[in-house]
Amino acid sequence: MNLIASAGPCVTSPTLLTRSKLSAPTCAYSSKASTQRRLHFFDMLAVFAQFETDVRRERQAEGIVKDAGIYTGAKPRINRERVLALVATGVGPAAAARALGVSRMPIYRILDEHNKA
């Protein structure tokens, strides 16, 4: 049964329209039918909410898989050995950053990772 057929008892009688001078159809709904429609409406809202929840969970699962090490990320753009070699020769982090054409922050990160290891 489609939704239009189950919409309810709308009356569009030509005699009713001419007697009462109405230009729109008159709907005679019972309170029971109205309550049922409201319940069906809320059921549809629940279906959409469940669908959104499922989609959100799938996206979260994809993110968790990426965090678990399966996702490799972007390839490094700075040669770490060259940074360490420059700093080992006595060049400061700012000068090494200028020589490599990058900002100082990745130089400091590389040095910090090297010192922790």
Side-chain angles (χ1 to χ4, degrees):
M1 178 181 252
N2 63 22
L3 290 176
I4 295 172
S6 66
C10 281
V11 180
T12 55
S13 166
T15 57
L16 180 66
L17 292 175
T18 56
R19 279 191 209 155
S20 62
K21 309 260 192 230
L22 292 175
S23 60
T26 303
C27 293
Y29 294 118
S30 69
S31 62
K32 183 178 179 183
S34 179
T35 303
Q36 289 174 348
R37 276 187 203 82
R38 274 188 251 136
L39 291 176
H40 288 301
F41 177 73
F42 286 121
D43 286 343
M44 287 302 294
L45 288 178
V47 167
F48 287 123
Q50 184 63 43
F51 173 74
E52 290 292 329
T53 301
D54 292 342
V55 169
R56 187 180 68 244
R57 284 187 182 151
E58 287 175 8
R59 289 182 184 157
Q60 286 176 345
E62 289 173 4
I64 291 169
V65 168
K66 287 180 183 178
D67 288 341
I70 296 172
Y71 179 71
T72 58
K75 62 181 180 180
R77 293 182 202 106
I78 302 171
N79 188 344
R80 295 179 185 280
E81 290 80 23
R82 186 163 177 214
V83 170
L84 296 173
L86 282 172
V87 173
T89 60
V91 175
R98 276 193 299 273
L100 295 172
V102 296
S103 68
R104 292 176 297 175
M105 194 64 216
I107 305 296
Y108 285 120
R109 281 192 196 122
I110 291 170
L111 292 175
D112 189 42
E113 290 171 6
H114 179 70
N115 289 336
K116 285 184 181 178

